[in-house]
Amino acid sequence: MRYNSEYPNADVVKELLAKMGMTSRQISKMVFDSKTHRDIVGEIEKKKNMQCRNLIRLCNILDIPLDYLFVSKDDKKESPSVIGNNNVVNSSYVNHDITSLRAENKALKLVIQEKDARLIDLKKTNEDLGKRLDYVLRINHDEKSPLK
């Protein structure tokens, strides 16, 4: 998926602020600091090229993913978002949340550790059998030797 815009959409922020019952001034004080004269919505509309850290602060305050700011009002469903109802977009399994996938990953790592330990044990056993075979062959060779 591709983004349709290179600049954040101020309409999305305005809509979210209206839903939350906040003003542009209140959110600006939260993003910058309490003594600021800056207006975050005005900067999004006019400056276009904002600092990433300010956009990230805004998203953290509004509790939205960053890509949500780059989608038009009519095109929200086309967002290339990775976040959504605890689904992993690149997975064929639906409704697998991240915690269950992490638990599965941890279990698979434990299986790999067990396999590695088993391989080390098999290598030791193989070396031991090789030494025993060498010993038997040497004894057998010594018994057949004409010098005896």
Side-chain angles (χ1 to χ4, degrees):
M1 248 214 199
R2 300 186 65 119
Y3 290 98
N4 296 330
S5 175
E6 295 177 1
Y7 305 108
N9 188 345
D11 293 333
V12 171
V13 177
K14 289 177 186 177
E15 183 181 306
L16 287 169
L17 289 176
K19 284 182 184 176
M20 295 174 74
M22 294 179 72
T23 65
S24 175
R25 186 81 188 126
Q26 289 172 322
I27 196 77
S28 296
K29 285 184 177 189
M30 293 172 80
V31 170
F32 301 117
D33 66 15
S34 60
K35 297 177 183 176
T36 190
H37 64 282
R38 298 169 70 178
D39 178 17
I40 188 84
V41 177
E43 287 187 17
I44 291 173
E45 289 175 329
K46 293 175 188 148
K47 283 188 179 178
K48 299 293 184 187
N49 286 333
M50 293 190 59
Q51 290 183 347
C52 289
R53 71 173 186 207
N54 292 333
L55 290 177
I56 290 171
R57 285 180 192 163
L58 177 66
C59 289
N60 285 339
I61 292 167
L62 296 175
D63 197 28
I64 58 170
L66 187 62
D67 60 353
Y68 196 76
L69 294 177
F70 294 90
V71 181
S72 67
K73 287 167 101 176
D74 303 329
D75 199 23
K76 284 184 188 162
K77 62 185 174 293
E78 294 297 320
S79 172
S81 178
V82 175
I83 300 171
N85 196 19
N86 292 324
N87 291 332
V88 178
V89 172
N90 295 332
S91 174
S92 59
Y93 299 104
V94 178
N95 293 326
H96 272 216
D97 63 340
I98 299 298
T99 53
S100 68
L101 291 174
R102 283 188 180 139
E104 182 180 355
N105 193 18
K106 186 175 182 180
L108 290 173
K109 285 180 180 180
L110 290 173
V111 168
I112 290 172
Q113 287 176 351
E114 184 180 337
K115 176 205 57 95
D116 290 342
R118 177 99 171 112
L119 283 174
I120 290 170
D121 184 48
L122 288 172
K123 284 180 183 177
K124 287 180 184 176
T125 304
N126 194 16
E127 288 174 4
D128 186 44
L129 286 174
K131 288 177 185 176
R132 288 181 185 186
L133 181 62
D134 288 342
Y135 177 73
V136 169
L137 289 175
R138 190 176 67 239
I139 290 176
N140 193 16
H141 182 273
D142 288 345
E143 287 178 357
K144 292 183 181 179
S145 161
L147 297 176
K148 263 192 164 182

